[in-house]
């Protein structure tokens, strides 16, 4: 066997806030891994177990105050001994990192085109701007970003579209290895499959090594050669994918696999659909009770202003129909799942329903009131009863506020509790979402993993006890075991507080596990809507059929 391309030897990492009484609390504890050229290694584990810390340590991206022991070698050279000039070339040309949160990779003041050209020219100054643009457009096309969006800014893209841009930037310099930290978390199953197939093809053709950090066991099982399972900072099990998934040895690996199979469980007679004591809604939604939410012919159109040359040839501006005539009813106590590819308009639809962005046309009724006609103060009061869990928890948590302050903030905004009452409610809610109040109440968002941030965001949305909760990918950043815990928690809260959910997700198996009905969205329109069982057993629209065929399933990998 040839010398390992990438080698981690007895790596230990401790953050300053993890030290108690001078003793180090290791986020990564004595981890050793190797990766050969062209090999694909999947690193899986629960949020907060140290996966992302390991990836960032390998790239020397951790704060200077972080304590690091052990060694990381790339092509036989110590990464920790690289000079600043060598480190700059190392990042991007030798090893590229795809971040979990694409907004941390993109400058909000730069267009997508500027990002691409700057990346290429900073490492390959011999290229002309024309050559750099041609190569960038070709790479963006590989991840389905059209050239027409070259002049747009990151905030004009959906979360999934931003992630595609981040993946393109990582591929642009033809690195020898990619560290992909949850690279498809924000992507739908079809684009996720395309990206993973593309990464697999590059690994095979160019001997490109891939360290895929993920909580998705099915994806790792389908696209990786080996798997390493991480728990509490340690690698507890490694081996070939088939060996580990078919015969897991460590109790944590066994529990992780069991949780994933629980969500993905399928059977001829509806096995695997959640059992809520017989209260699942009937295949025909009752119409005797008026809907809690009624959306009728809702539209959200955006106009891209053309420059002089484009106007000269095209003659007009381009219109993006993000939401194009969407209609549906959501009944009290129901869980309606909204699925579709990234960029299809799911998140735009949710923000338009809440009037966070004013619609171009159509109507939104909540509790019989047309939200589009309410004055600002009345709409603000209504929003107390309509809360949202956003796709990107980092974007909805104030970095200057502690976890306790962030969760309590809605209580003070709506004058629902005194400071003493708010603190007690926050502590209780932290426990409900699986976070220790003693450990997390006074911490800041930057000190949390992506999964922990999402749990805080869920707690913040639930603290006002809303009637309607709009969830935009609320569990997409969590591993299978925590996904199950959070989903079961949301079901418990639904029963206790009589909640109704509009549940946006690209994970079809989570939608199948959690939702009463499913609406499939494509290109700004709902192309199919119906009871969950019928959507999965007898999909009518070709796009729905394509989604189901692309969804990774553990049964296929074992």
């Amino acid at each position: 066997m040839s010398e390992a391309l990438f080698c981690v030897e007895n790596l230990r990492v401790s953050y300053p806030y993890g030290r108690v009484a001078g003793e180090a609390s290791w986020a990564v504890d004595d981890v050793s891994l190797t990766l050969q050229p062209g090999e694909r290694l999947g690193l899986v584990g629960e949020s907060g177990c140290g996966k992302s810390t390991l990836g960032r340590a390998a790239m020397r991206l951790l704060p200077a105050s972080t304590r690091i022991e052990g060694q990381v070698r790339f092509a036989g050279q110590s990464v920790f001994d690289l000079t600043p000039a060598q480190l700059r070339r190392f990042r991007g040309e030798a090893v590229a990192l795809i971040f979990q949160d694409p907004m941390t990779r993109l400058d909000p003041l730069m267009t997508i085109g500027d990002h691409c050209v700057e990346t290429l020219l900073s490492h390959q100054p011999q290229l002309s701007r024309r050559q750099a643009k041609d190569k960038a457009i070709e790479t963006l096309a590989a991840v389905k970003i059209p050239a027409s969006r070259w002049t747009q800014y990151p905030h004009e893209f959906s979360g999934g579209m931003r992630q595609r841009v981040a993946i393109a930037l990582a591929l642009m310099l033809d690195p020898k290895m990619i560290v992909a930290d949850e690279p498809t978390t924000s992507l739908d199953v079809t684009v996720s499959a395309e990206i993973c197939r593309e990464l697999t093809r590059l690994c095979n053709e160019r001997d490109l090594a891939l360290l895929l950090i993920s909580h998705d066991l099915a994806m790792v099982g389908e696209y990786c050669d080996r798997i390493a399972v991480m728990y509490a900072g340690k690698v507890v099990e490694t081996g070939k994918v088939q060996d580990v998934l078919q015969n897991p040895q460590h109790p944590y690996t066994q529990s992780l696999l069991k949780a994933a199979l629980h969500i993905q469980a399928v059977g001829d007679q509806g096995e695997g659909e959640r059992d809520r004591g017989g209260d699942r809604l009937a295949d025909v939604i009752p119409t005797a009770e008026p809907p809690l939410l009624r959306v009728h012919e809702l539209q959200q159109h955006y106009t891209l202003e053309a420059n002089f040359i484009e106007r000269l040839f095209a003659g007009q501006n381009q219109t993006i129909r993000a939401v194009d005539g969407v209609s549906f009813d959501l009944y009290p106590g129901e869980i309606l799942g909204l699925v579709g590819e990234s960029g299809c308009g799911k998140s735009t639809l949710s923000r338009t329903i809440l009037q966070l962005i004013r619609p171009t046309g159509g109507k939104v009724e909540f509790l019989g009131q047309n939200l589009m006609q309410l004055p600002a103060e009345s709409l603000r009061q209504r929003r107390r009863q309509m809360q949202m869990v956003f796709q990107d928890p980092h974007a909805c948590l104030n970095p200057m506020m502690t976890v306790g302050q962030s969760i309590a903030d809605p209580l003070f905004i709506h004058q629902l509790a005194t400071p003493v009452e708010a603190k007690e409610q926050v502590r209780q809610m932290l426990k409900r979402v699986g976070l220790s109040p003693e450990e997390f109440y006074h911490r800041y968002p930057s000190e949390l993993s992506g999964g922990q941030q999402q749990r805080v965001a869920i707690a913040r949305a639930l603290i006002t006890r809303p009637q309607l909760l709009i969830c935009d990918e609320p569990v997409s950043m969590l591993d299978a075991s925590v996904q199950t815990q959070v989903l079961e928690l949301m079901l418990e809260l639904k029963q206790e507080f009589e909640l109704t959910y509009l549940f946006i997700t690209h994970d079809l198996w989570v939608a199948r596990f959690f939702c009463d009905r499913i609406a499939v969205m494509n290109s700004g329109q709902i192309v199919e809507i119906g009871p969950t069982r019928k959507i999965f057993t007898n999909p009518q629209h070709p796009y729905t059929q394509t989604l189901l065929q692309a969804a990774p399933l553990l049964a296929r990998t074992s």
Side-chain angles (χ1 to χ4, degrees), residues 182-197:
E182 303 281 7
T184 60
T185 295
S186 304
L187 305 181
D188 61 278
V189 290
T190 53
V191 177
S192 176
E194 291 171 4
I195 293 298
C196 288
R197 284 195 296 266

Side-chain angles (χ1 to χ4, degrees), residues 415-543:
Q415 301 178 353
L416 297 176
T418 64
V420 174
E421 293 170 340
K423 184 173 183 178
E424 180 58 28
Q425 290 184 38
V426 170
R427 293 178 64 85
Q428 292 177 2
M429 192 59 71
L430 279 170
K431 292 179 182 178
R432 297 298 295 273
V433 297
L435 298 176
S436 167
E438 290 74 20
E439 183 178 357
F440 290 94
Y441 191 94
H442 295 290
R443 288 172 69 173
Y444 289 87
S446 61
E447 299 172 349
L448 308 182
S449 70
Q452 290 166 346
Q453 288 177 356
Q454 190 65 290
R455 295 196 222 180
V456 172
I458 292 171
R460 189 177 193 274
L462 294 175
I463 198 72
T464 61
R465 306 298 194 269
Q467 289 183 257
L468 172 64
L469 197 63
I470 299 179
C471 307
D472 189 352
E473 306 281 7
V475 296
S476 65
M477 301 176 71
L478 307 180
D479 63 273
S481 58
V482 181
Q483 274 189 355
T484 303
Q485 295 168 14
V486 172
L487 292 173
E488 294 291 354
L489 169 65
M490 293 175 70
L491 290 175
E492 293 172 10
L493 292 167
K494 176 185 180 299
Q495 296 300 312
E496 185 176 350
F497 300 107
E498 299 181 347
L499 294 168
T500 302
Y501 292 112
L502 176 60
F503 192 85
I504 300 170
T505 182
H506 64 257
D507 190 326
L508 294 176
W509 306 119
V510 168
R512 184 187 189 278
F513 173 82
F514 191 68
C515 301
D516 300 305
R517 284 192 302 151
I518 289 179
V520 181
M521 196 167 181
N522 186 27
S523 300
Q525 298 180 332
I526 290 180
V527 297
E528 186 168 358
I529 187 169
T532 300
R533 185 181 291 111
K534 288 186 177 180
I535 292 291
F536 274 80
T537 59
N538 188 26
Q540 299 298 305
H541 196 275
Y543 177 70

Side-chain angles (χ1 to χ4, degrees), residues 172-189:
M172 209 159 287
L173 297 173
D174 299 320
K176 296 178 182 178
M177 175 179 166
I178 289 180
V179 178
D181 187 356
E182 303 281 7
T184 60
T185 295
S186 304
L187 305 181
D188 61 278
V189 290

